[in-house]
């Protein structure tokens, strides 16, 4: 069904091979007792699987965590699989996290996102694992895009390519924001040379009642296990060379793709839909918001070290409509994810929001739970610094300059850095890499960000070095007391 069904590849707990009784009476009793004691002492029992956790909770007389699922006449679908925890707005999630990862050798991105001093500006690019790379195309053409999305080993290989080629300071999982659509009842597909589209696109409020699945009834591990497995495999494959970013489309952007049928324009359809059926639109957005929050939490549990929410089509909304149909859900997602991570005992990873095309409203994120705000090409860095005090900024190099000469690219990078400064800043494009960008020119961009930002830091400190890296390439132990350049 569009190639988005989950792959049954995660390890199976003893309960799915005949129950814990298959371990033998003594072993089963010991396993249960130790888990019960751990839980009563305030811990969790992730190593024993979600089913044992639920059994322990039931024996302890404790109700599942979470709040009731969102109301509304959305269809319910009970998926097979082990009994999960109840998480954000009733979405089924799973306790515990993968912990056996290589030590992180380059934490520049994470420090910059948290506003900590950095020796130079970290750099990565939206869609950096993409069609501009010949090595990417070799794999994509051999297997097809859908198989690459749905096969963890292939997704991991494609994610790591730009890290190996350019030494990017972040890896972003090769996936697609559309993988969430089937969870809510809308199937999608993609073929070479054709923009992805919804097979059963939503057009009216009746379609919402007929098609939409209440995401709180869907087992995320069952439906999206292949994505979480991709995260874990990629994190290990990176070998600590760069942090791994997990991402999701924002509710509004997901809504536009739900209305993007074959040969149609989902953006125009979405704008018309919110005028004709505002209540149904909010029902979709509510459902999507709950799902996105739970999805991002699971990505952290699987190994993601930073998160980003892409509202790629927020800019098609008027300022008033943005405040109604996008902003509330973006703000809520950050709050719910942060709270959910804390509740699950997971790392408090930095979060970035990218409200593309909404320079009129970026100040509304100043008090949000997001650590970083990504900017498109239309935002003046000076305005962003003034309107987002205390936030790290990301962006906003104009991709069109990649078509220029090497010298011009370096000039534009230097100008960008002079506007943003070198602290509380992550260099990126204002949008994304294009398929016809020259890979060598991308290398020029990355190289100049590194060289010029380090030179700027050296100048600001009046010293000859800004903490050289160790022999292993690690920047974790470098000098961190750098005066803010902004």
């Amino acid at each position: 069904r569009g190639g988005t069904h989950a792959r049954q590849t995660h390890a199976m707990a003893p309960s799915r091979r005949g129950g814990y009784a298959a371990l033998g009476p003594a072993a089963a009793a010991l396993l249960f007792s130790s888990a019960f004691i751990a839980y009563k002492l305030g811990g969790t029992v992730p190593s024993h699987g979600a089913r044992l956790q639920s059994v322990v909770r039931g024996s302890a007389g404790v109700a599942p965590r979470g709040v009731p699922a969102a109301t509304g006449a959305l269809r319910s679908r009970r998926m097979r699989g082990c009994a999960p925890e109840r998480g954000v707005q009733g979405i089924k999630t799973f306790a515990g996290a993968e912990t056996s990862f290589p030590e992180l050798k380059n934490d520049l991105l994470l420090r910059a996102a948290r506003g900590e001093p950095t020796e130079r500006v970290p750099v990565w690019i939206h869609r950096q694992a993409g069609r501009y790379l010949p090595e990417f195309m070799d794999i994509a053409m051999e297997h097809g895009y859908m198989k690459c999305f749905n096969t963890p080993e292939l997704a991991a290989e494609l994610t790591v390519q730009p890290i190996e080629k350019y030494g990017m300071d972040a890896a972003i999982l090769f996936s697609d924001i559309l993988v969430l659509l089937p969870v809510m009842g809308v199937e999608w597909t993609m073929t070479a040379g054709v923009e992805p589209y919804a097979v059963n696109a939503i057009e009216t409020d009746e379609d919402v009642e007929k098609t939409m699945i209440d995401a709180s009834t869907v087992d995320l591990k069952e439906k999206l296990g292949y994505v979480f497995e991709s995260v874990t495999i990629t994190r290990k494959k990176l070998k600590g060379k760069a942090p791994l970013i997990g991402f999701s489309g924002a509710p509004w952007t997901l809504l536009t793709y739900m209305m993007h049928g074959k040969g149609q324009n989902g953006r125009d359809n979405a704008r018309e839909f919110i005028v004709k059926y505002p209540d149904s639109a909010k029902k979709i957005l509510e459902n999507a918001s709950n799902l996105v929050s739970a999805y991002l939490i699971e990505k952290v549990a699987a190994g993601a070290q930073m998160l980003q929410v892409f509202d790629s089509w927020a800019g098609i909304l008027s300022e008033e409509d943005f405040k109604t149909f996008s902003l509330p859900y973006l703000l809520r997602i950050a709050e719910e994810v942060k709270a959910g991570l804390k509740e699950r005992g997971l790392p408090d990873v930095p979060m970035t929001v990218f409200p593309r095309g909404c320079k009129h409203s970026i100040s509304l994120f100043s008090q949000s739970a997001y650590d970083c705000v990504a900017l498109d090409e239309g935002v003046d860095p000076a305005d962003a610094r003034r309107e987002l005090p205390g936030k790290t900024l990301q962006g906003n190099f104009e991709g069109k300059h990649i078509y220029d000469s090497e010298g011009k690219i370096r000039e534009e990078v230097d100008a960008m850095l002079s506007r943003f400064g070198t602290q509380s800043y992550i260099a990126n494009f204002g949008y994304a890499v294009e398929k016809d960008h020259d890979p060598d020119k991308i290398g020029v961009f990355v190289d100049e960000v590194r060289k010029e930002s380090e030179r700027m830091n050296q100048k600001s400190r009046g010293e000859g070095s800004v903490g050289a890296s160790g022999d292993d390439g690690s920047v974790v132990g470098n000098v961190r007391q750098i005066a803010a350049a902004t």
Side-chain angles (χ1 to χ4, degrees):
R1 305 198 313 158
T4 56
H5 57 282
R7 298 170 68 253
Q8 303 293 325
T9 53
H10 51 280
M12 300 183 74
S15 58
R16 296 187 226 168
R17 298 197 300 267
Y20 286 99
L23 297 172
L30 179 61
L31 180 62
F32 180 86
S33 298
S34 63
F36 183 82
I37 293 170
Y39 177 77
K40 290 298 285 183
L41 291 175
T44 59
V45 288
S47 61
H48 301 309
R51 180 171 179 178
L52 179 58
Q53 176 113 358
S54 66
V55 172
V56 172
R57 283 183 168 275
S59 298
V62 180
R65 294 176 297 192
V67 294
T71 59
L74 302 182
R75 293 194 297 126
S76 171
R77 176 178 294 173
R78 298 293 177 182
M79 308 296 289
R80 302 186 311 275
C82 60
E85 292 291 324
R86 281 284 180 175
V88 178
Q89 290 291 317
I91 298 289
K92 296 181 178 182
T93 58
F94 290 74
E98 171 68 50
T99 57
S100 57
F101 294 121
E103 181 181 0
L104 182 61
K105 299 175 182 178
N106 179 353
D107 70 342
L108 275 173
L109 178 84
L110 304 184
R111 282 191 277 136
R114 295 187 176 108
E116 299 172 10
T118 56
E119 303 81 65
R120 61 172 175 82
V121 171
V123 55
W124 70 282
I125 309 174
H126 295 144
R127 214 154 56 199
Q128 64 188 24
R131 293 174 290 175
Y132 72 104
L133 289 175
E135 52 268 47
F136 173 95
M137 291 304 296
D138 289 343
I139 295 175
M141 290 299 96
E142 178 183 355
H143 299 283
Y145 284 99
M146 296 301 287
K147 184 176 180 181
C148 289
F149 288 136
N150 298 332
T151 306
E153 294 80 7
L154 292 176
E157 183 174 354
L158 294 174
T159 301
V160 173
Q161 282 181 349
I163 310 305
E164 300 291 349
K165 188 177 186 72
Y166 302 112
M168 296 286 193
D169 294 306
I172 184 165
L173 186 70
F174 177 73
S175 185
D176 199 285
I177 62 176
L178 303 186
V179 300
L180 292 183
L181 298 194
V183 180
M184 296 182 286
V186 178
E187 300 295 337
W188 69 286
T189 189
M190 172 188 292
T191 57
V194 179
E195 186 178 11
Y197 63 90
V199 176
N200 54 332
I202 290 176
E203 298 179 359
T204 68
D205 57 346
E206 293 181 357
D207 291 337
V208 175
E209 302 302 320
K210 178 177 64 177
T211 303
M212 185 68 61
I213 293 173
D214 182 347
S216 69
T217 68
V218 177
D219 184 329
L220 286 187
K221 198 75 169 183
E222 181 83 9
K223 193 71 172 175
L224 298 172
Y226 67 99
V227 177
F228 307 136
E229 185 180 355
S230 297
V231 172
T232 301
I233 292 176
T234 302
R235 174 80 182 273
K236 292 179 178 179
K237 194 175 183 67
L238 284 167
K239 298 179 181 178
K241 294 177 181 178
L244 177 60
I245 299 172
F247 71 91
S248 175
W252 168 253
T253 291
L254 292 173
L255 180 148
T256 66
Y257 281 111
M258 289 180 185
M259 299 179 182
H260 187 81
K262 188 174 183 179
Q264 298 179 345
N265 187 317
R267 276 83 72 186
D268 289 345
N269 292 345
R271 284 185 294 189
E272 181 179 343
F273 191 90
I274 62 176
V275 173
K276 290 183 175 180
Y277 315 109
D279 291 340
S280 291
K282 291 176 182 178
K283 185 179 295 185
I284 294 173
L285 295 167
E286 177 83 8
N287 194 38
S289 177
N290 295 338
L291 176 58
V292 169
S293 295
Y295 179 60
L296 291 175
I297 292 170
E298 286 308 313
K299 283 194 168 181
V300 175
Q305 293 155 290
M306 189 167 173
L307 299 171
Q308 179 158 325
V309 181
F310 287 85
D311 209 348
S312 304
W313 299 117
I316 69 173
L317 291 167
S318 67
E319 184 174 351
E320 180 180 354
D321 284 340
F322 174 75
K323 292 176 182 178
T324 301
F325 296 100
S326 176
L327 179 66
Y329 305 97
L330 290 172
L331 297 178
R332 181 175 126 189
I333 286 168
E335 295 284 352
E336 289 184 343
V337 169
K338 294 283 187 176
L341 294 175
K342 183 177 181 180
E343 181 183 5
R344 292 269 296 276
L346 295 170
D348 181 20
V349 303
M351 291 186 68
T352 300
V353 63
F354 184 23
R356 184 183 175 212
C358 294
K359 67 179 181 179
H360 51 67
S361 298
I362 60 170
S363 63
L364 300 177
F365 294 96
S366 62
Q367 301 301 314
S368 72
Y370 290 103
D371 305 272
C372 179
V373 179
L375 310 176
D376 60 65
E377 299 96 329
V379 181
D380 186 306
D383 292 339
R385 288 292 186 198
R386 183 177 60 255
E387 296 179 21
L388 294 166
K391 297 295 184 186
T392 290
L393 303 181
Q394 177 177 286
N396 65 347
F397 189 77
E398 292 189 67
K400 68 180 184 180
H401 293 305
I402 296 298
Y403 301 112
D404 290 333
S405 66
E406 176 179 335
K408 180 63 174 176
I409 293 172
R410 292 188 185 276
E411 288 179 12
E412 292 295 336
V413 168
D414 294 354
M416 176 183 72
L417 291 172
S418 70
R419 292 191 291 269
F420 278 100
T422 64
Q423 303 301 304
S424 296
Y425 173 56
I426 300 167
N428 203 318
F429 281 16
Y431 183 44
V433 178
E434 299 294 343
K435 64 180 179 181
D436 61 348
H437 277 164
D438 183 342
D440 292 337
K441 298 288 186 67
I442 296 294
V444 171
F445 167 79
V446 174
D447 179 67
E448 187 63 16
V449 169
R450 290 198 182 102
K451 289 180 177 177
E452 178 62 11
S453 64
E454 189 168 71
R455 186 198 65 77
M456 291 171 66
N457 275 342
Q458 291 172 354
K459 183 178 179 180
S460 69
R461 295 178 60 218
E463 299 179 5
S465 176
V466 190
S469 297
D471 293 337
D472 63 351
S474 171
V475 296
V476 175
N478 291 353
V479 177
R480 299 190 178 186
Q481 300 305 314
I482 301 173
T486 53

PDB file of all heavy atoms in Angstrom, residues 424-435:
ATOM      1  N   SER A 424      25.767  30.715  18.662  1.00  0.00           N
ATOM      2  CA  SER A 424      24.319  30.448  18.630  1.00  0.00           C
ATOM      3  C   SER A 424      23.824  30.475  17.193  1.00  0.00           C
ATOM      4  O   SER A 424      22.787  31.052  16.862  1.00  0.00           O
ATOM      5  CB  SER A 424      23.555  31.466  19.477  1.00  0.00           C
ATOM      6  OG  SER A 424      23.913  31.364  20.831  1.00  0.00           O
ATOM      7  N   TYR A 425      24.588  29.810  16.342  1.00  0.00           N
ATOM      8  CA  TYR A 425      24.279  29.821  14.920  1.00  0.00           C
ATOM      9  C   TYR A 425      24.698  28.508  14.263  1.00  0.00           C
ATOM     10  O   TYR A 425      25.757  27.954  14.568  1.00  0.00           O
ATOM     11  CB  TYR A 425      24.998  30.983  14.230  1.00  0.00           C
ATOM     12  CG  TYR A 425      24.869  30.977  12.720  1.00  0.00           C
ATOM     13  CD1 TYR A 425      23.609  30.973  12.113  1.00  0.00           C
ATOM     14  CD2 TYR A 425      25.992  30.967  11.900  1.00  0.00           C
ATOM     15  CE1 TYR A 425      23.485  30.941  10.727  1.00  0.00           C
ATOM     16  CE2 TYR A 425      25.878  30.947  10.515  1.00  0.00           C
ATOM     17  CZ  TYR A 425      24.616  30.930   9.933  1.00  0.00           C
ATOM     18  OH  TYR A 425      24.490  30.894   8.569  1.00  0.00           O
ATOM     19  N   ILE A 426      23.846  28.024  13.364  1.00  0.00           N
ATOM     20  CA  ILE A 426      24.098  26.819  12.580  1.00  0.00           C
ATOM     21  C   ILE A 426      23.952  27.190  11.115  1.00  0.00           C
ATOM     22  O   ILE A 426      22.886  27.659  10.687  1.00  0.00           O
ATOM     23  CB  ILE A 426      23.103  25.698  12.943  1.00  0.00           C
ATOM     24  CG1 ILE A 426      23.224  25.324  14.418  1.00  0.00           C
ATOM     25  CG2 ILE A 426      23.326  24.474  12.050  1.00  0.00           C
ATOM     26  CD1 ILE A 426      22.074  24.468  14.933  1.00  0.00           C
ATOM     27  N   ALA A 427      25.018  27.007  10.339  1.00  0.00           N
ATOM     28  CA  ALA A 427      24.974  27.347   8.918  1.00  0.00           C
ATOM     29  C   ALA A 427      24.197  26.285   8.145  1.00  0.00           C
ATOM     30  O   ALA A 427      24.394  25.085   8.337  1.00  0.00           O
ATOM     31  CB  ALA A 427      26.384  27.485   8.359  1.00  0.00           C
ATOM     32  N   ASN A 428      23.333  26.742   7.254  1.00  0.00           N
ATOM     33  CA  ASN A 428      22.502  25.864   6.450  1.00  0.00           C
ATOM     34  C   ASN A 428      21.977  26.681   5.282  1.00  0.00           C
ATOM     35  O   ASN A 428      22.199  27.893   5.210  1.00  0.00           O
ATOM     36  CB  ASN A 428      21.343  25.303   7.287  1.00  0.00           C
ATOM     37  CG  ASN A 428      20.769  24.010   6.746  1.00  0.00           C
ATOM     38  OD1 ASN A 428      20.589  23.845   5.541  1.00  0.00           O
ATOM     39  ND2 ASN A 428      20.471  23.076   7.638  1.00  0.00           N
ATOM     40  N   PHE A 429      21.274  26.062   4.381  1.00  0.00           N
ATOM     41  CA  PHE A 429      20.602  26.787   3.310  1.00  0.00           C
ATOM     42  C   PHE A 429      19.285  27.351   3.833  1.00  0.00           C
ATOM     43  O   PHE A 429      18.736  26.878   4.836  1.00  0.00           O
ATOM     44  CB  PHE A 429      20.307  25.854   2.136  1.00  0.00           C
ATOM     45  CG  PHE A 429      21.489  25.577   1.234  1.00  0.00           C
ATOM     46  CD1 PHE A 429      22.782  25.850   1.638  1.00  0.00           C
ATOM     47  CD2 PHE A 429      21.292  25.036  -0.025  1.00  0.00           C
ATOM     48  CE1 PHE A 429      23.867  25.590   0.813  1.00  0.00           C
ATOM     49  CE2 PHE A 429      22.357  24.764  -0.865  1.00  0.00           C
ATOM     50  CZ  PHE A 429      23.655  25.043  -0.456  1.00  0.00           C
ATOM     51  N   GLY A 430      18.775  28.349   3.118  1.00  0.00           N
ATOM     52  CA  GLY A 430      17.453  28.863   3.453  1.00  0.00           C
ATOM     53  C   GLY A 430      16.363  27.893   3.075  1.00  0.00           C
ATOM     54  O   GLY A 430      15.262  27.944   3.609  1.00  0.00           O
ATOM     55  N   TYR A 431      16.683  26.985   2.149  1.00  0.00           N
ATOM     56  CA  TYR A 431      15.738  25.912   1.845  1.00  0.00           C
ATOM     57  C   TYR A 431      16.478  24.584   1.767  1.00  0.00           C
ATOM     58  O   TYR A 431      16.642  23.926   2.785  1.00  0.00           O
ATOM     59  CB  TYR A 431      14.962  26.195   0.562  1.00  0.00           C
ATOM     60  CG  TYR A 431      13.929  25.137   0.248  1.00  0.00           C
ATOM     61  CD1 TYR A 431      13.100  24.640   1.258  1.00  0.00           C
ATOM     62  CD2 TYR A 431      13.797  24.625  -1.029  1.00  0.00           C
ATOM     63  CE1 TYR A 431      12.167  23.658   0.993  1.00  0.00           C
ATOM     64  CE2 TYR A 431      12.844  23.644  -1.307  1.00  0.00           C
ATOM     65  CZ  TYR A 431      12.043  23.155  -0.299  1.00  0.00           C
ATOM     66  OH  TYR A 431      11.118  22.177  -0.561  1.00  0.00           O
ATOM     67  N   ALA A 432      16.951  24.186   0.577  1.00  0.00           N
ATOM     68  CA  ALA A 432      17.543  22.855   0.475  1.00  0.00           C
ATOM     69  C   ALA A 432      18.437  22.746  -0.755  1.00  0.00           C
ATOM     70  O   ALA A 432      18.391  23.586  -1.661  1.00  0.00           O
ATOM     71  CB  ALA A 432      16.442  21.795   0.400  1.00  0.00           C
ATOM     72  N   VAL A 433      19.224  21.680  -0.780  1.00  0.00           N
ATOM     73  CA  VAL A 433      20.035  21.359  -1.947  1.00  0.00           C
ATOM     74  C   VAL A 433      19.108  20.997  -3.110  1.00  0.00           C
ATOM     75  O   VAL A 433      18.113  20.301  -2.925  1.00  0.00           O
ATOM     76  CB  VAL A 433      20.972  20.162  -1.656  1.00  0.00           C
ATOM     77  CG1 VAL A 433      21.781  19.798  -2.898  1.00  0.00           C
ATOM     78  CG2 VAL A 433      21.908  20.493  -0.514  1.00  0.00           C
ATOM     79  N   GLU A 434      19.462  21.460  -4.311  1.00  0.00           N
ATOM     80  CA  GLU A 434      18.711  21.113  -5.506  1.00  0.00           C
ATOM     81  C   GLU A 434      19.410  19.978  -6.246  1.00  0.00           C
ATOM     82  O   GLU A 434      20.623  19.798  -6.132  1.00  0.00           O
ATOM     83  CB  GLU A 434      18.573  22.321  -6.432  1.00  0.00           C
ATOM     84  CG  GLU A 434      17.828  23.501  -5.817  1.00  0.00           C
ATOM     85  CD  GLU A 434      16.371  23.205  -5.543  1.00  0.00           C
ATOM     86  OE1 GLU A 434      15.833  22.220  -6.108  1.00  0.00           O
ATOM     87  OE2 GLU A 434      15.750  23.954  -4.765  1.00  0.00           O
ATOM     88  N   LYS A 435      18.651  19.224  -7.020  1.00  0.00           N
ATOM     89  CA  LYS A 435      19.197  18.044  -7.673  1.00  0.00           C
ATOM     90  C   LYS A 435      20.273  18.361  -8.699  1.00  0.00           C
ATOM     91  O   LYS A 435      21.100  17.503  -9.023  1.00  0.00           O
ATOM     92  CB  LYS A 435      18.079  17.235  -8.320  1.00  0.00           C
ATOM     93  CG  LYS A 435      17.351  17.948  -9.449  1.00  0.00           C
ATOM     94  CD  LYS A 435      16.249  17.061 -10.018  1.00  0.00           C
ATOM     95  CE  LYS A 435      15.490  17.769 -11.144  1.00  0.00           C
ATOM     96  NZ  LYS A 435      14.405  16.914 -11.692  1.00  0.00           N
TER      97      LYS A 435
END
